């Protein structure tokens, strides 16, 4: 359900009329070549369209207005081939509401030492043309990414690709709707937040429903659809032999009925993320576990216990990571392993709802009792997460702003089997170590729920938070606690004074 096909990035080159029409023709040709090259690069997932060589204020203003209203355009790449006096960019940049990437490149990689003359210098003057543009963007406090280097460099393409993915997640978020089945878990604080402010910042709408609304959809699922889904379960996952002859099979069919009902509800309402709560299951036979896992794997964002902020964070991370190796899941820091001599580890899991996109192997489909909720034994997928690098992120509402915290980590192999653990899990070593990471996360007020990803990196999160004007507190290998606490204090001043919005 996640695709970049409907999106475009617009490539705009800045210049002026001072150098004559021939120069402008050459600039247009060079710009088309760069845009066409970007468009063919597989690591750049969004279509790149060359728009124009901008050389006067009116054209730039019209172009920015067009970008704003275009459903396809999710961001603009600007590059100054020559000097483009920046006053002509004022009205356009003030109006632009789409993400901006300032590509500081040069058409020719090397200086032709023997041939270079003033004509060549006039054509290839990005080195100072882009600085003039940079001044205006800084003067107007326009949030943007600046990418430096030759346009064919791997590093440049990588940075542009990361930005495209963040821009796609922002575009997706601005049109997204979250369905909440039931409210937040009673008395829980961090999963709460200001939904109006969230819509202002992220664009997404949060819609609440009684569980009865979902139950109607669940009841309407046909026996045929239940049969189809159940057959797929038996095909796709590891199941106990002759499962279809056991008493559990009717409960598995019930899980399929819930999945079918949830999917039709989410499709009918065009929702991109959803939440559930074990405190409100009236009319549902079991807590939706398998359904949440499978819908997450399809690309839906999910948050448990009514956690709508995390559900959309998971969705945005799934958009940013779409097509990359590794998956993204809703996650919770559950239990610690604190052996003498270390290393201290975190066992991440949830009651049921961990996305199989992060599984190291084919998940096992099982039904076990749930110690809370008082419902029938829910079906769930069991697996452990793939080893390797990952990132955890959370978004909290501080009252005057939203804050994201991120923590890089290494998923490690469990030192022993966990034969009695009836849920999917991930075991990780957070950077720089658990002691610093957890203290920083707690000082920053980070939630116990997170978006966990092995496809998205902190680079994506940086671009994403920049585009949305969010605070980002990064915890990584270089984090030192006293410095981290100082950053929290200085950020408080910055966000109190920031009058951008
Ligand atoms: Mn939870």
């Amino acid at each position: 359900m996640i695709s970049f096909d409907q999106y475009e990035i617009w490539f705009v080159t800045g210049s002026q009329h001072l150098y004559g029409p021939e120069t402008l023709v050459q600039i247009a040709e060079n710009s088309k070549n760069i845009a066409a090259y970007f468009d063919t690069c597989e690591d750049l997932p969004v279509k790149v369209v060359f728009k124009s060589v901008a050389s006067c204020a009116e054209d730039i203003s019209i172009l920015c207005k067009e970008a704003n209203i275009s459903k396809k355009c999710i961001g603009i790449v600007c590059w100054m081939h020559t000097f483009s006096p920046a006053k002509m960019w004022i009205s356009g940049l003030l109006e632009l509401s789409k993400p901006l990437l300032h590509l500081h490149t040069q058409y020719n990689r090397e200086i032709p030492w023997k041939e270079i003359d003033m004509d060549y210098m006039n054509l290839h003057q990005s080195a100072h043309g882009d600085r003039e543009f940079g001044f205006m963007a800084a003067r107007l406090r326009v949030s943007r990414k600046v990418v430096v280097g030759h346009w064919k460099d791997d590093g440049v393409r990588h940075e542009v690709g990361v930005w495209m993915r963040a821009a796609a997640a922002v575009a997706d978020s601005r049109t997204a709707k979250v369905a909440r089945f039931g409210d937040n878990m009673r008395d829980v604080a961090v999963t709460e937040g200001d939904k109006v402010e969230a819509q202002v910042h992220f664009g997404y709408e949060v819609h609440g429903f009684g569980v009865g609304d979902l139950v109607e959809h669940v009841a309407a699922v046909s026996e045929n659809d239940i049969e189809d889904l159940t057959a797929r379960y038996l095909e796709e996952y590891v199941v106990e032999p002759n499962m279809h002859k056991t008493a559990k099979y009717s409960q598995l069919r019930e899980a399929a009925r819930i999945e079918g009902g949830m999917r039709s509800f989410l499709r009918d309402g065009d929702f991109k993320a959803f939440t559930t709560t074990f405190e409100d299951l009236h009319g549902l036979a079991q807590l939706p576990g398998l359904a949440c896992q499978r819908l997450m794997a399809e690309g839906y964002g999910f948050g448990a216990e009514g956690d709508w902020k995390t559900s959309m964070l998971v969705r945005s991370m799934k958009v940013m990571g779409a097509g990359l190796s590794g998956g993204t899941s809703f996650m919770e820091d559950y239990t610690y392993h604190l052996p003498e001599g270390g290393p201290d580890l975190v066992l991440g899991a949830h009651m049921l709802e961990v996305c199989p996109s992060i599984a190291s192997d084919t998940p096992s489909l099982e039904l076990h009792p749930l110690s809370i909720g008082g419902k029938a034994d829910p079906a769930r997928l069991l697996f452990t997460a793939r080893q390797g690098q990952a990132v955890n992120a959370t978004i909290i509402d501080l009252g005057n702003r939203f804050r994201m915290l991120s923590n890089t980590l290494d998923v490690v192999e469990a030192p022993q089997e966990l034969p009695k653990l009836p849920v999917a899990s991930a075991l990780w070593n957070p950077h720089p170590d658990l002691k610093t990471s957890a203290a920083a996360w707690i000082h920053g007020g980070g939630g116990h729920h997170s978006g966990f990803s092995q496809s998205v990196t902190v680079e994506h999160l940086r671009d994403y938070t920049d585009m949305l004007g969010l605070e980002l507190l990064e915890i990584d290998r270089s984090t030192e606690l006293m410095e981290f606490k100082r950053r929290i204090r200085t950020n408080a001043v910055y966000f109190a004074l920031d009058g951008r919005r």
Side-chain angles (χ1 to χ4, degrees), residues 53-348:
V53 174
S55 54
C56 70
E58 194 187 356
D59 290 354
I60 293 169
S61 173
I62 289 169
L63 184 103
C64 290
K65 286 193 183 95
E66 282 174 0
N68 290 347
I69 58 167
S70 165
K71 282 188 175 174
K72 286 183 175 176
C73 175
I74 60 168
I76 290 193
V77 173
C78 283
W79 167 51
M80 304 302 117
H81 196 307
T82 64
F83 198 78
S84 178
K87 286 182 184 174
M88 72 172 81
W89 287 89
I90 292 176
S91 63
L93 286 178
L94 282 175
E95 287 159 337
L96 184 66
S97 65
K98 298 285 168 83
L100 173 66
L101 184 143
H102 181 186
L103 180 65
H104 183 45
T105 192
Q106 180 174 276
Y107 191 72
N108 286 353
R109 200 183 264 282
E110 297 183 6
I111 291 176
W113 303 105
K114 291 202 171 122
E115 282 86 41
I116 187 166
D117 56 12
M118 277 319 288
D119 285 345
Y120 184 94
M121 295 274 275
N122 282 335
L123 183 60
H124 301 281
Q125 51 178 306
S126 307
H128 66 283
D130 272 326
R131 287 167 206 250
E132 165 75 354
F133 180 79
F135 162 73
M136 187 47 71
R139 174 72 178 79
L140 299 175
R141 278 75 163 163
V142 174
S143 169
R144 78 279 194 204
K145 182 171 190 172
V146 179
V147 176
V148 180
H150 192 259
W151 47 282
K152 282 193 172 170
D153 282 353
D154 291 348
V156 166
R157 269 202 335 271
H158 171 76
E159 286 183 69
V160 174
V162 165
W163 174 84
M164 280 180 172
R165 290 176 171 280
V170 167
D172 179 78
S173 177
R174 287 195 168 140
T175 57
K177 290 194 292 177
V178 183
R180 307 181 70 223
F181 303 120
D183 202 350
N184 295 71
M185 180 179 169
R186 289 182 275 281
D187 288 329
V188 174
V190 74
T191 56
E192 289 283 0
D194 183 338
K195 301 188 200 80
V196 174
E197 203 56 27
Q199 193 169 340
V200 172
H201 270 273
F202 300 94
Y204 61 72
E205 301 170 16
V206 184
H207 296 278
F209 298 93
V211 157
D213 298 322
L214 172 61
V215 168
E216 275 179 28
H217 279 252
V218 171
V221 178
S222 73
E223 291 302 311
N224 270 348
D225 287 351
I226 293 172
E227 276 310 311
D228 285 353
L229 256 181
T230 316
R232 239 182 293 161
Y233 295 166
L234 300 184
E235 212 176 273
E236 285 179 30
Y237 308 118
V238 177
V239 290
E240 66 179 79
N242 297 317
M243 158 84 93
H244 60 286
K245 292 179 187 163
T246 68
K248 291 175 187 167
Y249 191 63
S250 66
Q251 288 176 35
L252 186 62
R253 284 176 48 89
E254 200 53 46
R257 187 190 302 278
I258 292 173
E259 180 184 330
M262 277 188 142
R263 183 177 290 103
S264 79
F265 188 103
L266 296 172
R267 271 190 193 158
D268 287 359
D270 196 22
F271 294 104
K272 289 173 175 168
F274 66 104
T275 70
T276 59
T277 173
F278 68 90
E279 283 184 334
D280 190 356
L281 296 175
H282 302 291
L284 289 181
Q286 47 180 273
L287 175 65
L290 180 61
C292 296
Q293 292 180 295
R294 285 173 51 87
L295 288 164
M296 246 191 288
E298 272 175 38
Y300 286 99
F302 172 77
E305 289 102 51
D307 191 347
W308 49 272
K309 294 194 301 298
T310 304
S311 78
M312 266 311 295
L313 174 61
V314 169
R315 165 69 185 186
S316 288
M317 290 171 83
K318 279 184 177 288
V319 172
M320 284 187 266
L324 299 176
S325 69
T328 294
S329 179
F330 172 74
M331 189 55 77
E332 184 169 82
D333 302 75
Y334 223 107
T335 303
Y336 289 142
H337 182 56
L338 308 170
E340 267 188 54
D344 296 341
L345 303 174
V346 183
L347 184 67

Side-chain angles (χ1 to χ4, degrees), residues 323-392:
L324 299 176
S325 69
T328 294
S329 179
F330 172 74
M331 189 55 77
E332 184 169 82
D333 302 75
Y334 223 107
T335 303
Y336 289 142
H337 182 56
L338 308 170
E340 267 188 54
D344 296 341
L345 303 174
V346 183
L347 184 67
H350 204 259
M351 257 185 293
L352 302 171
E353 312 90 338
V354 179
C355 178
S357 65
I358 64 166
S360 61
D361 216 335
T362 307
S364 163
L365 173 59
E366 300 181 21
L367 292 101
H368 296 283
L370 193 67
S371 50
I372 36 183
K375 290 280 178 171
D377 299 356
R380 82 285 306 271
L381 297 173
L382 267 66
F383 53 86
T384 52
R386 271 185 289 275
Q387 291 175 56
Q389 291 187 346
V391 67
N392 252 337

